[in-house]
Amino acid sequence: MRKPRSAGQLPKKWHRSRPLRAAVGALALAVPVVVVASSSASAQVNLVVNPGLQQSGSGFPACWSEAGNGTNSYAFSTTSKAYSGSTAVQLSISKYTSGERLAMISENSSCAPQVTAGNQYNLGVYYMSSSPNAVIEVYRHDVKSGWMFWMDLKSLPATGTYKYASVRTPAIPAGTNQISFGVALYGTGTVITDNYSMVNSTVAATAVKCTAGVACTKGAWQVLPFPSPVRTIHSVVLDNGDILFVAGSGNDPNEFAAGTFESAVYNPTKGTFQVIPTPDDFFCAGHVQLPNGDILILGGNKAYPNATDTVGYEGLATSYIFDPVTLKYYKVNNLNEGHWYPSATELGNGDIISYGGLDQTSGAAEDIEYFKYSQPLTESTPKVPTNDANGEWLPAKDINGDNPGNTNYTGFWGLYPAMILTQNGQLFYTGSHVFGDNETPVGEAGTARGKGGAGFLNISDIIDTKANPSFAAGTDKTTPVDGLQDTPGGAAGTDMTDQSMSVLLPPAQTQQIFLAGGGNINYLVPGTRLTDLIDLNKAAPAYKDGPLLPRGTLSNGAEEPASEGKMYVSMVLLPNGNVFETGGGLINREDPVYEASMINTAALEAGASASSVYTEMATDPVPRTYHSQSMLLPDGRILSVGNNPGDGSFNMQISVYSPPYLFDGARPVIDSVAHASDWTYGGNYSIKTSTPIKSAELLRPAAVTHQSDPNQRFVALPISGSGDTVNLNLTSNHNIAPPGWYMLFVTNGNNVPSVAKWVHVG
């Protein structure tokens, strides 16, 4: 925690390494001549102490502090160029490399406003700025952990005369009793601020009487009366709400021998399927949405194991793009080597990076693959990939692949390693993976408490952007993190993150990752109930123990023992900010566990007990173990598909879950969205709704297989204004919301979400 009125160090956040946006012409800051009060907050209680900066302190206005971090040359001062009264605060940065500076409400019990968990507050300020790199930024005080960065709420355009800016906070997290805010500057220029305000703007809940019986509290499942036409191994939600089901050979050697490879597009609204000609065996390929809505498929299955099992599965080096408009696959250039079970993560610039899998000889695929996306990020229309219309896989010579700085690095990241993009552009390997031991090359194998079972990958120098033949690989580093309840390469029952699942918790701005369940197919040891939580915003991030998963019911109707848990856990981010957890199995491809729960994200992040974090939900009557997938639909329901037990059979049934929020009264309606196909970073966009809303959020559509969807994320959209027409503020950080199509939801005072509208970010 910083001392009041000191140039203290702020917690780690993305401004440290964020590239500046294109600069605009410098603006002169004028003294206002005409003052027009435009704040809607004036009729309510302003919770800011010394909001007009008129009470002086020790060299700075009372209850205000200088703060910041990084490498920059800066100066704080007071100025007579006030919006009203005689004093405003001025901040100038003359030289900038990294970090930020801001004047903010002092973080102490006397100055920082008291808040109530679950409430929302409208923050306002009058400002002038010569820089486009200014943002309203908010911090919160957790009663257990102290002061911490919360999130950036609103980017402020440059202006030479005073303008009023306001934005509503998300609901205050559990355990938070105070907040502080200010205007941060993260580039060269000058910003002057005055007349701060903070008023309670909570959207009231309405009384609703649910008449749906048990569904009111547990939701309800429906098993559809028709099956999937293909053995669904992979599911990708398309930007029109349809779902691409990908089977390839469907884990069926006979289909592979016959050259029968399958995909289908399912329309959940009409209940129809269209089977798609599939050019190669995409069984256990990688897949990810590109910024324009096309689907990139990489690798897959070149061969099944031979009759004597002396040769295992072999990876394909081919790659394709699926066009959701033409419903066809198109070939792109090959990967550098084969990959069966590769990861696929979209970066903030729209490029795709991939790690792991088995190569074309059934050995460890050690090559890092990098797809250079060639379309403008604002392009929202799929392109038929002829003549590299979408991009290409870079040759190995242009990829920095050795990740040094770690003496134990082998080059192999295992199968489907969960690589999540962080706000500063690094990757975080969560520890979740598929098949056997945690193969991470980060850290020390065989060390308890996951010393190196997870870690950061600095990829700032991953590619040679100038295609220089003398490109020197080896500048990027890997950094292990401690605390994971796992022993990579340890004894039976200690290395148990095989087919666990990891998610970036809502909202993405808070940078907290949750890992749940898991097992190890190398041993007949039941899966685990362990969970782990890490806050990537901390100065030295480390996993801490999360609450044990709830116990489920086995096929014989008995409750599973307290010492046993499950692998094949599915977790789906919901538009109300919670996480739905469902499905799983006790051991490798056997013994389904019937259990589902709603995870209260706020309670989880606050360190609450299991009874406060998990609420029992209705269970899918269909077993969901190996090769199962669950995903959010644009109407707010969850679809689950797939189950491939050890006897080789495949359950083709489709289940759809309606969460309790769908039985909690009328849903808000999004009547209109401004510029839905052209949202740019740092912008604010008007929407009209049927009723005043509590929140707005972007959810990335699923691209899931084997309990792995590292691109799944929920991005909060702070609200400016009130009533049924408001502005939504999009983050200026590409890494928080990588470019592409998102589902836009809004929720009302009862946390009931709308049906989504599609918006394109780029």
Side-chain angles (χ1 to χ4, degrees):
M1 173 176 159
R2 297 183 302 281
K3 295 180 180 180
R5 296 178 295 279
S6 68
Q9 290 297 304
L10 294 173
K12 180 174 68 175
K13 58 193 298 290
W14 64 274
H15 295 325
R16 287 179 183 268
S17 58
R18 181 188 184 279
L20 295 180
R21 288 170 285 166
V24 299
L27 298 177
L29 304 184
V31 177
V33 176
V34 179
V35 176
V36 179
S38 60
S39 172
S40 61
S42 59
Q44 303 181 52
V45 176
N46 187 354
L47 301 176
V48 177
V49 178
N50 194 19
L53 312 170
Q54 300 302 298
Q55 301 299 319
S56 61
S58 299
F60 213 59
C63 278
W64 290 86
S65 298
E66 304 172 6
N69 61 35
T71 303
N72 45 73
S73 299
Y74 64 94
F76 288 97
S77 63
T78 57
T79 175
S80 60
K81 294 181 178 181
Y83 176 78
S84 64
S86 59
T87 303
V89 166
Q90 178 171 303
L91 163 63
S92 296
I93 295 180
S94 57
K95 294 182 180 179
Y96 181 88
T97 302
S98 65
E100 64 179 5
R101 298 289 158 183
L102 79 159
M104 62 186 295
I105 298 172
S106 299
E107 293 176 334
N108 59 51
S109 58
S110 299
C111 296
Q114 299 284 328
V115 294
T116 301
N119 283 7
Q120 295 175 276
Y121 297 84
N122 196 76
L123 311 181
V125 62
Y126 285 88
Y127 81 99
M128 293 192 289
S129 176
S130 66
S131 170
N133 299 306
V135 63
I136 296 177
E137 188 170 283
V138 62
Y139 292 75
R140 67 185 183 91
H141 182 262
D142 183 89
V143 294
K144 293 182 179 179
S145 305
W147 283 101
M148 62 185 68
F149 170 71
W150 189 10
M151 67 178 69
D152 292 337
L153 292 179
K154 181 182 179 69
S155 296
L156 304 180
T159 172
T161 58
Y162 269 108
K163 286 188 177 180
Y164 176 69
S166 69
V167 63
R168 193 191 313 169
T169 70
I172 299 297
T176 298
N177 64 348
Q178 290 178 284
I179 66 171
S180 169
F181 72 99
V183 174
L185 188 60
Y186 54 97
T188 57
T190 296
V191 62
I192 298 174
T193 56
D194 195 7
N195 281 32
Y196 285 77
S197 60
M198 174 176 161
V199 298
N200 195 313
S201 58
T202 305
V203 177
T206 58
V208 174
K209 183 178 180 180
C210 179
T211 59
V214 70
C216 295
T217 56
K218 294 189 176 182
W221 286 92
Q222 176 188 16
V223 179
L224 300 185
F226 45 82
S228 167
V230 302
R231 293 163 63 109
T232 304
I233 309 291
H234 312 261
S235 296
V236 183
V237 177
L238 307 177
D239 59 38
N240 58 4
D242 292 351
I243 307 171
L244 175 64
F245 289 158
V246 179
S249 63
N251 199 19
D252 185 341
N254 294 324
E255 294 289 279
F256 180 84
T260 303
F261 310 132
E262 294 181 314
S263 307
V265 171
Y266 172 53
N267 183 319
T269 303
K270 297 179 179 179
T272 58
F273 295 92
Q274 182 169 343
V275 176
I276 306 298
T278 305
D280 222 330
D281 190 5
F282 298 153
F283 166 51
C284 296
H287 47 68
V288 63
Q289 295 97 338
L290 292 174
N292 63 1
D294 280 338
I295 311 303
L296 179 65
I297 309 288
L298 54 141
N301 182 44
K302 179 185 174 186
Y304 280 79
N306 62 11
T308 60
D309 280 334
T310 55
V311 177
Y313 289 94
E314 298 174 357
L316 284 172
T318 52
S319 182
Y320 295 80
I321 282 177
F322 178 77
D323 185 327
V325 176
T326 64
L327 301 184
K328 293 180 179 180
Y329 289 101
Y330 300 90
K331 181 104 172 40
V332 294
N333 67 313
N334 282 0
L335 305 160
N336 289 296
E337 65 177 345
H339 292 269
W340 185 71
Y341 280 71
S343 70
T345 303
E346 187 192 7
L347 305 180
N349 61 2
D351 295 348
I352 308 299
I353 195 166
S354 175
Y355 292 80
L358 298 183
D359 68 11
Q360 62 277 9
T361 67
S362 195
E366 298 185 3
D367 280 359
I368 299 170
E369 305 284 359
Y370 194 99
F371 184 84
K372 187 64 179 174
Y373 183 70
S374 62
Q375 292 295 312
L377 297 187
T378 54
E379 177 58 62
S380 60
T381 305
K383 298 290 184 183
V384 175
T386 55
N387 300 319
D388 297 326
N390 278 289
E392 63 176 350
W393 293 101
L394 297 184
K397 68 181 180 62
D398 291 342
I399 302 173
N400 172 0
D402 65 353
N403 284 284
N406 170 23
T407 56
N408 293 319
Y409 181 71
T410 64
F412 183 48
W413 286 91
L415 277 61
Y416 284 139
M419 301 285 192
I420 293 178
L421 179 67
T422 69
Q423 64 180 354
N424 63 3
Q426 294 185 342
L427 295 178
F428 181 71
Y429 170 59
T430 70
S432 290
H433 63 99
V434 174
F435 290 164
D437 291 347
N438 186 344
E439 297 281 357
T440 170
V442 181
E444 305 168 19
T447 305
R449 295 297 300 186
K451 252 209 170 334
F456 292 95
L457 290 76
N458 182 350
I459 57 170
S460 58
D461 295 323
I462 191 69
I463 63 170
D464 177 11
T465 55
K466 297 180 180 179
N468 186 343
S470 63
F471 172 57
T475 57
D476 287 330
K477 304 292 183 184
T478 57
T479 305
V481 302
D482 295 339
L484 190 67
Q485 299 173 83
D486 188 42
T487 303
T494 66
D495 188 339
M496 298 289 283
T497 55
D498 173 3
Q499 286 165 102
S500 60
M501 189 165 187
S502 300
V503 293
L504 179 63
L505 290 173
Q509 287 94 328
T510 62
Q511 295 286 283
Q512 298 209 44
I513 289 173
F514 182 60
L515 182 151
N520 192 316
I521 68 165
N522 292 338
Y523 310 105
L524 290 177
V525 175
T528 180
R529 295 172 62 199
L530 297 177
T531 70
D532 298 272
L533 181 68
I534 187 169
D535 183 350
L536 303 185
N537 270 328
K538 288 189 176 296
Y543 271 112
K544 64 180 182 181
D545 299 357
L548 294 176
L549 285 172
R551 296 159 67 183
T553 301
L554 303 177
S555 295
N556 61 5
E559 184 179 33
E560 65 175 335
S563 61
E564 298 179 357
K566 59 182 182 178
M567 53 200 302
Y568 314 119
V569 181
S570 288
M571 290 193 288
V572 180
L573 309 185
L574 300 183
N576 66 354
N578 289 333
V579 179
F580 180 63
E581 170 268 312
T582 183
L586 202 61
I587 57 175
N588 180 32
R589 302 184 69 177
E590 302 292 345
D591 299 334
V593 175
Y594 297 88
E595 185 274 329
S597 60
M598 193 66 67
I599 299 172
N600 184 314
T601 302
L604 174 64
E605 294 181 348
S609 64
S611 61
S612 298
V613 172
Y614 302 113
T615 301
E616 180 185 352
M617 294 289 119
T619 57
D620 189 344
V622 179
R624 300 294 180 193
T625 63
Y626 185 55
H627 286 154
S628 63
Q629 306 115 67
S630 296
M631 66 219 72
L632 179 68
L633 300 178
D635 62 11
R637 297 179 300 163
I638 292 94
L639 183 143
S640 294
V641 66
N643 186 55
N644 189 193
D647 62 8
S649 63
F650 203 101
N651 192 309
M652 312 286 271
Q653 291 175 291
I654 300 171
S655 304
V656 178
Y657 177 67
S658 296
Y661 57 52
L662 294 183
F663 303 95
D664 202 16
R667 305 180 70 175
V669 176
I670 303 175
D671 295 321
S672 63
V673 181
H675 308 290
S677 63
D678 188 25
W679 280 26
T680 57
Y681 292 101
N684 59 85
Y685 297 94
S686 174
I687 66 166
K688 189 177 188 312
T689 57
S690 60
T691 185
I693 60 173
K694 178 179 180 179
S695 71
E697 41 279 327
L698 297 177
L699 280 95
R700 182 168 173 115
V704 60
T705 186
H706 293 80
Q707 284 60 58
S708 182
D709 185 1
N711 300 289
Q712 184 179 193
R713 59 184 56 214
F714 171 120
V715 180
L717 297 171
I719 298 168
S720 294
S722 60
D724 60 7
T725 301
V726 296
N727 285 334
L728 307 182
N729 295 278
L730 177 64
T731 177
S732 56
N733 185 349
H734 297 219
N735 301 319
I736 292 290
W741 285 97
Y742 287 79
M743 294 180 283
L744 168 65
F745 289 93
V746 300
T747 65
N748 63 17
N750 292 342
N751 290 321
V752 175
S754 65
V755 173
K757 295 284 190 182
W758 289 94
V759 300
H760 185 267
V761 172

